[in-house]
Protein backbone atom coordinates (compact mmCIF):
# COMPACT_ATOMS: atom_id res chain seq x y z
CA UNK A 1 0.00 0.00 0.00
CA UNK A 2 1.47 3.41 -0.83
CA UNK A 3 1.80 6.18 1.74
CA UNK A 4 -0.71 8.30 -0.17
CA UNK A 5 -3.42 5.67 0.41
CA UNK A 6 -2.89 5.81 4.16
CA UNK A 7 -4.13 8.51 6.47
CA UNK A 8 -1.08 10.43 7.56
CA UNK A 9 -0.31 10.44 11.26
CA UNK A 10 -0.02 13.86 12.89
CA UNK A 11 3.73 13.40 13.01
CA UNK A 12 3.90 12.53 9.31
CA UNK A 13 2.01 15.73 8.61
CA UNK A 14 4.44 17.62 10.81
CA UNK A 15 7.37 16.25 8.81
CA UNK A 16 5.78 16.76 5.41
CA UNK A 17 4.76 20.40 5.82
CA UNK A 18 6.51 22.78 3.47
CA UNK A 19 9.82 24.31 4.46
CA UNK A 20 11.00 27.76 3.40
CA UNK A 21 12.68 28.45 0.03
CA UNK A 22 15.95 29.14 1.86
CA UNK A 23 15.76 25.72 3.48
CA UNK A 24 14.81 24.01 0.19
CA UNK A 25 17.83 25.57 -1.50
CA UNK A 26 20.08 24.31 1.28
CA UNK A 27 18.52 20.81 1.23
CA UNK A 28 19.28 20.44 -2.49
CA UNK A 29 23.00 20.75 -1.69
CA UNK A 30 23.14 18.29 1.24
CA UNK A 31 23.89 14.54 1.34
CA UNK A 32 20.72 12.59 2.16
CA UNK A 33 19.59 9.12 3.26
CA UNK A 34 16.17 7.48 3.56
CA UNK A 35 15.73 6.20 7.12
CA UNK A 36 13.00 5.07 9.50
CA UNK A 37 10.76 8.12 9.46
CA UNK A 38 11.73 10.20 6.49
CA UNK A 39 14.61 11.57 4.48
CA UNK A 40 17.50 12.69 6.65
CA UNK A 41 19.93 15.37 5.43
CA UNK A 42 23.49 15.80 6.64
CA UNK A 43 24.01 19.37 7.82
CA UNK A 44 27.08 20.54 9.78
CA UNK A 45 28.02 16.89 10.27
CA UNK A 46 24.71 15.69 11.77
CA UNK A 47 21.58 14.08 10.29
CA UNK A 48 18.26 15.85 10.40
CA UNK A 49 14.84 15.69 8.67
CA UNK A 50 13.80 18.68 6.53
CA UNK A 51 11.32 20.36 8.82
CA UNK A 52 13.38 20.19 12.01
CA UNK A 53 16.29 21.45 9.90
CA UNK A 54 14.29 24.58 9.08
CA UNK A 55 13.92 25.00 12.85
CA UNK A 56 17.65 24.47 13.29
CA UNK A 57 18.41 27.25 10.80
CA UNK A 58 15.92 29.59 12.45
CA UNK A 59 17.19 29.07 15.97
CA UNK A 60 20.82 29.29 14.87
CA UNK A 61 20.02 32.64 13.27
CA UNK A 62 17.69 34.14 15.84
CA UNK A 63 17.96 32.57 19.31
CA UNK A 64 19.58 35.01 21.73
CA UNK A 65 20.72 33.19 24.84
CA UNK A 66 20.71 35.07 28.11
CA UNK A 67 23.31 34.53 30.84
CA UNK A 68 20.67 33.09 33.13
CA UNK A 69 19.27 30.59 30.60
CA UNK A 70 19.51 26.86 31.13
CA UNK A 71 19.56 24.66 28.04
CA UNK A 72 18.82 20.94 28.34
CA UNK A 73 20.64 19.13 25.56
CA UNK A 74 20.16 15.45 24.78
CA UNK A 75 20.46 12.76 22.17
CA UNK A 76 16.92 11.76 21.15
CA UNK A 77 15.40 9.08 23.41
CA UNK A 78 17.95 9.35 26.18
CA UNK A 79 15.57 10.54 28.91
CA UNK A 80 14.80 14.11 27.83
CA UNK A 81 11.23 13.95 29.17
CA UNK A 82 12.49 12.92 32.61
CA UNK A 83 15.21 15.59 32.68
CA UNK A 84 12.69 18.26 31.64
CA UNK A 85 10.32 17.27 34.44
CA UNK A 86 13.10 17.17 37.05
CA UNK A 87 14.56 20.51 36.03
CA UNK A 88 11.20 22.22 35.82
CA UNK A 89 10.20 20.95 39.27
CA UNK A 90 13.62 21.83 40.71
CA UNK A 91 13.80 25.37 39.36
CA UNK A 92 10.23 26.25 40.26
CA UNK A 93 10.17 24.47 43.63
CA UNK A 94 9.84 27.67 45.68
CA UNK A 95 6.72 29.06 43.98
CA UNK A 96 5.35 25.77 42.61
CA UNK A 97 5.66 23.19 45.38
CA UNK A 98 4.51 19.68 44.60
CA UNK A 99 0.75 19.94 45.04
CA UNK A 100 -2.25 18.95 42.94
CA UNK A 101 -1.96 22.33 41.18
CA UNK A 102 1.60 21.79 39.99
CA UNK A 103 2.02 22.66 36.26
CA UNK A 104 3.31 19.14 35.55
CA UNK A 105 -0.07 17.71 36.54
CA UNK A 106 -1.77 19.40 33.60
CA UNK A 107 1.13 19.67 31.14
CA UNK A 108 3.50 17.22 29.51
CA UNK A 109 7.13 18.14 30.34
CA UNK A 110 7.71 18.97 26.63
CA UNK A 111 5.08 21.71 26.84
CA UNK A 112 6.79 23.29 29.84
CA UNK A 113 10.37 23.03 28.59
CA UNK A 114 10.14 23.55 24.86
CA UNK A 115 12.49 22.41 22.13
CA UNK A 116 14.15 25.18 20.16
CA UNK A 117 14.41 23.53 16.74
CA UNK A 118 11.46 21.13 17.05
CA UNK A 119 8.96 23.48 18.60
CA UNK A 120 9.67 27.18 19.23
CA UNK A 121 11.51 27.84 15.93
CA UNK A 122 10.09 24.93 13.97
CA UNK A 123 8.33 26.56 11.05
CA UNK A 124 11.20 28.94 10.52
CA UNK A 125 9.21 31.07 12.92
CA UNK A 126 10.83 33.50 15.32
CA UNK A 127 8.97 33.22 18.62
CA UNK A 128 8.43 36.08 21.03
CA UNK A 129 10.16 34.90 24.19
CA UNK A 130 9.31 38.04 26.18
CA UNK A 131 6.86 36.20 28.42
CA UNK A 132 9.48 33.65 29.54
CA UNK A 133 10.60 34.42 33.07
CA UNK A 134 14.19 34.05 34.24
CA UNK A 135 15.77 31.55 34.47
CA UNK A 136 14.47 30.50 31.06
CA UNK A 137 14.55 26.76 30.45
CA UNK A 138 14.82 25.40 26.88
CA UNK A 139 15.86 22.15 25.28
CA UNK A 140 17.53 21.01 22.09
CA UNK A 141 18.93 17.92 20.36
CA UNK A 142 21.52 20.00 18.50
CA UNK A 143 25.15 18.84 18.67
CA UNK A 144 27.45 21.08 20.72
CA UNK A 145 29.21 22.66 17.73
CA UNK A 146 25.89 23.53 16.08
CA UNK A 147 24.31 25.33 19.03
CA UNK A 148 23.30 28.94 18.29
CA UNK A 149 26.37 31.20 18.63
CA UNK A 150 24.81 33.15 21.51
CA UNK A 151 24.78 29.96 23.60
CA UNK A 152 28.56 29.74 23.30
CA UNK A 153 29.04 33.46 23.84
CA UNK A 154 26.79 33.86 26.88
CA UNK A 155 27.20 32.50 30.39
CA UNK A 156 24.09 30.32 30.02
CA UNK A 157 24.33 26.81 31.45
CA UNK A 158 24.03 23.51 29.61
CA UNK A 159 22.85 20.21 31.05
CA UNK A 160 23.56 17.28 28.77
CA UNK A 161 21.99 13.84 29.09
CA UNK A 162 22.86 10.73 27.10
CA UNK A 163 22.18 7.02 27.49
CA UNK A 164 23.62 3.64 26.55
CA UNK A 165 23.24 3.68 22.74
CA UNK A 166 21.80 0.15 22.79
CA UNK A 167 18.85 1.29 24.90
CA UNK A 168 18.65 4.57 23.00
CA UNK A 169 18.34 2.71 19.70
CA UNK A 170 15.61 0.41 21.05
CA UNK A 171 13.72 3.38 22.47
CA UNK A 172 14.02 5.25 19.15
CA UNK A 173 12.77 2.23 17.25
CA UNK A 174 9.65 1.87 19.41
CA UNK A 175 8.98 5.60 19.33
CA UNK A 176 9.25 5.68 15.54
CA UNK A 177 6.96 2.69 15.17
CA UNK A 178 4.40 4.29 17.39
CA UNK A 179 4.50 7.47 15.32
CA UNK A 180 4.10 5.47 12.13
CA UNK A 181 1.38 3.14 13.42
CA UNK A 182 -0.85 4.07 10.48
CA UNK A 183 1.90 3.60 7.96
CA UNK A 184 3.02 0.02 7.26
CA UNK A 185 5.95 1.13 5.13
CA UNK A 186 8.31 1.36 8.06
CA UNK A 187 11.71 -0.18 7.44
CA UNK A 188 12.78 -3.35 9.21
CA UNK A 189 14.33 -3.45 12.67
CA UNK A 190 17.54 -4.82 11.13
CA UNK A 191 17.77 -2.02 8.55
CA UNK A 192 17.13 0.60 11.21
CA UNK A 193 19.85 -0.95 13.36
CA UNK A 194 22.25 -0.92 10.42
CA UNK A 195 21.60 2.81 9.89
CA UNK A 196 22.09 3.52 13.58
CA UNK A 197 25.45 1.69 13.54
CA UNK A 198 26.45 3.84 10.53
CA UNK A 199 25.57 6.93 12.55
CA UNK A 200 22.57 7.77 10.37
CA UNK A 201 19.87 8.69 12.89
CA UNK A 202 18.28 12.01 13.88
CA UNK A 203 21.00 14.33 15.24
CA UNK A 204 23.54 11.47 14.92
CA UNK A 205 26.09 10.03 14.63
CA UNK A 206 25.48 9.37 18.31
CA UNK A 207 29.23 9.13 19.02
CA UNK A 208 29.92 12.63 17.66
CA UNK A 209 26.98 14.02 19.63
CA UNK A 210 28.05 12.46 22.92
CA UNK A 211 31.78 13.16 22.49
CA UNK A 212 31.15 16.78 21.53
CA UNK A 213 29.41 17.42 24.85
CA UNK A 214 31.69 15.12 26.88
CA UNK A 215 34.84 16.91 25.74
CA UNK A 216 33.31 20.31 26.42
CA UNK A 217 32.23 19.20 29.92
CA UNK A 218 35.88 18.37 30.66
CA UNK A 219 37.04 21.72 29.30
CA UNK A 220 34.33 23.78 30.92
CA UNK A 221 32.58 22.02 33.84
CA UNK A 222 31.13 25.30 35.13
CA UNK A 223 29.21 25.71 31.89
CA UNK A 224 28.25 22.13 31.07
CA UNK A 225 27.03 19.34 33.32
CA UNK A 226 27.29 15.94 31.62
CA UNK A 227 24.86 13.25 32.81
CA UNK A 228 24.16 9.63 31.88
CA UNK A 229 20.70 8.10 32.20
CA UNK A 230 22.05 4.95 33.85
CA UNK A 231 23.80 6.98 36.59
CA UNK A 232 20.66 8.97 37.23
CA UNK A 233 18.64 5.78 37.57
CA UNK A 234 21.21 4.31 39.94
CA UNK A 235 21.71 7.37 42.16
CA UNK A 236 18.82 9.74 41.55
CA UNK A 237 19.21 11.66 44.83
CA UNK A 238 22.88 12.36 44.19
CA UNK A 239 22.17 13.61 40.68
CA UNK A 240 19.23 15.77 41.64
CA UNK A 241 21.45 17.47 44.23
CA UNK A 242 24.18 17.87 41.59
CA UNK A 243 21.67 19.47 39.24
CA UNK A 244 20.52 21.87 41.95
CA UNK A 245 24.10 22.87 42.76
CA UNK A 246 25.00 23.26 39.10
CA UNK A 247 22.22 25.77 38.54
CA UNK A 248 23.26 27.55 41.75
CA UNK A 249 20.06 26.73 43.54
CA UNK A 250 21.30 24.05 45.98
CA UNK A 251 18.94 22.07 48.17
CA UNK A 252 19.05 23.76 51.56
CA UNK A 253 19.38 21.98 54.90
CA UNK A 254 15.76 22.81 55.61
CA UNK A 255 14.65 21.38 52.27
CA UNK A 256 16.64 18.24 53.03
CA UNK A 257 14.78 17.93 56.33
CA UNK A 258 11.47 18.46 54.57
CA UNK A 259 12.25 15.67 52.08
CA UNK A 260 12.18 17.89 48.97
CA UNK A 261 14.60 15.68 47.03
CA UNK A 262 12.47 12.55 47.38
CA UNK A 263 9.33 14.54 46.74
CA UNK A 264 10.61 15.83 43.39
CA UNK A 265 12.01 12.43 42.40
CA UNK A 266 8.77 10.66 43.27
CA UNK A 267 6.69 13.23 41.44
CA UNK A 268 8.86 13.01 38.30
CA UNK A 269 9.17 9.23 38.41
CA UNK A 270 8.26 7.26 35.31
CA UNK A 271 5.20 5.66 36.94
CA UNK A 272 3.85 8.90 38.33
CA UNK A 273 4.23 10.92 35.13
CA UNK A 274 3.00 8.13 32.86
CA UNK A 275 -0.18 7.71 34.88
CA UNK A 276 -1.18 11.37 34.79
CA UNK A 277 -4.25 12.00 32.66
CA UNK A 278 -2.42 14.58 30.53
CA UNK A 279 0.24 12.04 29.60
CA UNK A 280 -2.32 9.38 28.73
CA UNK A 281 -4.55 11.52 26.51
CA UNK A 282 -2.75 14.64 25.30
CA UNK A 283 -0.42 15.49 22.42
CA UNK A 284 2.64 17.76 22.16
CA UNK A 285 2.88 20.51 19.54
CA UNK A 286 4.41 18.21 16.89
CA UNK A 287 1.27 16.05 17.10
CA UNK A 288 3.02 13.23 18.96
CA UNK A 289 0.87 11.58 21.65
CA UNK A 290 2.19 12.32 25.12
CA UNK A 291 1.97 8.62 25.96
CA UNK A 292 4.68 7.91 23.34
CA UNK A 293 7.26 9.47 25.67
CA UNK A 294 6.58 6.88 28.39
CA UNK A 295 7.35 3.33 27.32
CA UNK A 296 9.36 1.33 29.91
CA UNK A 297 11.91 3.74 31.34
CA UNK A 298 14.37 0.98 32.25
CA UNK A 299 18.08 0.36 31.92
CA UNK A 300 19.02 -2.65 29.78
CA UNK A 301 15.74 -3.17 27.92
CA UNK A 302 17.85 -3.63 24.78
CA UNK A 303 18.37 -7.26 25.87
CA UNK A 304 14.71 -7.91 25.06
CA UNK A 305 15.08 -6.65 21.50
CA UNK A 306 18.65 -6.91 20.16
CA UNK A 307 20.28 -10.26 19.46
CA UNK A 308 23.57 -10.98 21.23
CA UNK A 309 25.36 -10.30 17.91
CA UNK A 310 23.66 -6.93 17.55
CA UNK A 311 24.58 -6.04 21.13
CA UNK A 312 28.21 -7.03 20.48
CA UNK A 313 28.32 -5.02 17.27
CA UNK A 314 27.11 -1.86 18.95
CA UNK A 315 29.40 -2.44 21.94
CA UNK A 316 32.38 -2.68 19.58
CA UNK A 317 31.40 0.60 17.92
CA UNK A 318 30.99 2.23 21.34
CA UNK A 319 34.38 0.88 22.47
CA UNK A 320 36.12 2.05 19.33
CA UNK A 321 34.52 5.50 19.16
CA UNK A 322 34.92 6.32 22.87
CA UNK A 323 38.37 4.76 23.24
CA UNK A 324 40.69 7.12 25.17
CA UNK A 325 37.89 9.57 26.02
CA UNK A 326 37.39 8.31 29.58
CA UNK A 327 33.72 7.72 28.83
CA UNK A 328 31.95 4.37 28.87
CA UNK A 329 28.42 2.94 29.04
P1 LIG B 1 12.73 12.62 23.23
O1 LIG B 1 14.20 12.63 22.98
O2 LIG B 1 11.92 12.32 22.01
O3 LIG B 1 12.26 13.86 23.92
P2 LIG B 1 13.08 11.00 25.56
O4 LIG B 1 12.27 11.51 26.68
O5 LIG B 1 14.53 11.32 25.57
O6 LIG B 1 12.42 11.39 24.19
O7 LIG B 1 13.01 9.42 25.54
C1 LIG B 1 11.98 8.67 26.06
C2 LIG B 1 12.60 7.62 26.94
O8 LIG B 1 12.69 8.11 28.27
C3 LIG B 1 11.72 6.38 26.98
O9 LIG B 1 12.59 5.27 27.18
P3 LIG B 1 12.17 3.77 26.79
O10 LIG B 1 11.68 3.79 25.39
O11 LIG B 1 13.42 2.96 26.96
O12 LIG B 1 11.12 3.38 27.76
C4 LIG B 1 10.87 6.70 28.18
O13 LIG B 1 10.22 5.58 28.73
C5 LIG B 1 11.91 7.27 29.13
N1 LIG B 1 11.30 8.07 30.19
C6 LIG B 1 10.27 8.95 30.08
N2 LIG B 1 9.97 9.47 31.28
C7 LIG B 1 10.82 8.91 32.17
C8 LIG B 1 10.99 9.04 33.59
N3 LIG B 1 10.21 9.84 34.30
N4 LIG B 1 11.96 8.31 34.18
C9 LIG B 1 12.75 7.49 33.45
N5 LIG B 1 12.63 7.31 32.12
C10 LIG B 1 11.68 8.01 31.48
Amino acid sequence: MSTSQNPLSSFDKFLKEEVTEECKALLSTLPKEEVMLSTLYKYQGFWCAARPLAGVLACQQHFQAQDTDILLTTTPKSGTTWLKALMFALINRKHSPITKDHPLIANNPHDLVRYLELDLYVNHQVPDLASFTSPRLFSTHLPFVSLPKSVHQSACKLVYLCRDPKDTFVSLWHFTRKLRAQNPEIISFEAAFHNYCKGVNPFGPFWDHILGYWNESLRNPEKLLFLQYEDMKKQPRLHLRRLAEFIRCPISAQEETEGVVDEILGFCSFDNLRNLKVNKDGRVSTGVENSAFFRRGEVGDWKNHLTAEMGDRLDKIIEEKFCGSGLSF
Side-chain angles (χ1 to χ4, degrees):
M1 207 192 276
S2 77
T3 317
S4 58
Q5 288 171 291
N6 286 310
L8 286 174
S9 72
S10 311
F11 194 69
D12 279 322
K13 281 189 207 137
F14 164 79
L15 286 177
K16 284 184 192 312
E17 268 174 42
E18 282 289 295
V19 294
T20 60
E21 290 306 316
E22 180 198 356
C23 189
K24 271 190 207 156
L26 173 69
L27 292 177
S28 67
T29 67
L30 299 178
K32 58 180 180 175
E33 292 249 10
E34 298 299 324
V35 296
M36 282 196 273
L37 262 178
S38 59
T39 309
L40 291 187
Y41 297 86
K42 197 169 196 187
Y43 171 69
Q44 297 184 339
F46 70 93
W47 293 96
C48 193
R51 197 138 179 271
L53 187 55
V56 169
L57 299 179
C59 78
Q60 286 182 333
Q61 280 167 22
H62 301 290
F63 178 67
Q64 289 305 318
Q66 297 178 355
D67 290 345
T68 49
D69 286 349
I70 300 162
L71 197 53
L72 308 183
T73 58
T74 56
T75 42
K77 314 324 293 177
S78 55
T80 324
T81 314
W82 187 24
L83 182 64
K84 286 184 178 188
L86 289 173
M87 284 298 279
F88 184 89
L90 196 57
I91 284 176
N92 295 298
R93 67 188 191 271
K94 298 269 162 31
H95 57 84
S96 288
I98 310 291
T99 62
K100 62 177 177 27
D101 297 324
H102 194 280
L104 277 163
I105 303 268
N107 299 277
N108 177 273
H110 293 284
D111 290 326
L112 295 174
V113 184
R114 295 172 65 185
Y115 279 113
L116 295 177
E117 72 284 359
L118 298 175
D119 180 359
L120 286 166
Y121 290 82
V122 74
N123 222 359
H124 214 96
Q125 63 198 6
V126 182
D128 178 5
L129 304 179
S131 63
F132 284 60
T133 51
S134 173
R136 305 184 307 175
L137 200 48
F138 300 106
S139 73
T140 181
H141 286 319
L142 276 169
F144 181 73
V145 290
S146 295
L147 290 171
K149 278 204 180 62
S150 63
V151 173
H152 296 292
Q153 289 160 350
S154 74
C156 77
K157 298 235 175 207
L158 302 172
V159 177
Y160 183 71
L161 178 65
C162 61
R163 184 182 190 184
D164 182 333
K166 300 191 289 304
D167 279 333
T168 311
F169 167 73
V170 167
S171 183
L172 180 64
W173 165 257
H174 283 286
F175 185 72
T176 308
R177 267 182 32 130
K178 192 149 190 190
L179 298 186
R180 299 302 289 271
Q182 292 154 303
N183 188 344
E185 290 182 3
I186 188 118
I187 64 168
S188 71
F189 185 74
E190 288 71 21
F193 181 74
H194 179 67
N195 283 333
Y196 192 77
C197 290
K198 281 196 307 179
V200 185
N201 64 285
F203 300 93
F206 68 80
W207 51 86
D208 285 344
H209 203 285
I210 296 171
L211 282 171
Y213 282 99
W214 170 249
N215 290 330
E216 184 58 21
S217 75
L218 300 179
R219 276 191 296 265
N220 204 350
E222 287 292 306
K223 170 119 183 147
L224 203 168
L225 178 66
F226 186 98
L227 299 171
Q228 289 173 262
Y229 182 87
E230 295 73 24
D231 294 340
M232 287 186 51
K233 285 291 252 187
K234 211 187 221 169
Q235 295 183 291
R237 293 188 183 99
L238 172 83
H239 287 94
L240 194 76
R241 290 184 185 111
R242 278 186 78 200
L243 276 168
E245 273 158 31
F246 180 69
I247 58 168
R248 299 202 189 95
C249 192
I251 309 283
S252 66
Q254 189 187 339
E255 286 179 312
E256 289 287 0
T257 315
E258 289 166 0
V260 166
V261 170
D262 282 345
E263 198 177 36
I264 292 178
L265 288 171
F267 185 59
C268 298
S269 69
F270 177 82
D271 284 337
N272 188 59
L273 291 183
R274 186 182 56 163
N275 287 320
L276 294 174
K277 187 172 176 342
V278 64
N279 294 326
K280 286 184 166 168
D281 303 339
R283 285 178 189 272
V284 292
S285 62
T286 48
V288 177
E289 289 170 22
N290 290 345
S291 61
F293 294 98
F294 304 93
R295 193 181 62 90
R296 293 195 64 166
E298 284 170 12
V299 172
D301 182 46
W302 65 269
K303 293 190 186 114
N304 299 316
H305 301 279
L306 299 182
T307 62
E309 291 73 33
M310 287 168 138
D312 286 348
R313 182 172 165 203
L314 210 34
D315 277 341
K316 282 211 180 71
I317 294 171
I318 294 167
E319 219 179 285
E320 190 190 308
K321 298 291 182 186
F322 294 101
C323 176
S325 70
L327 184 63
S328 60
F329 288 94

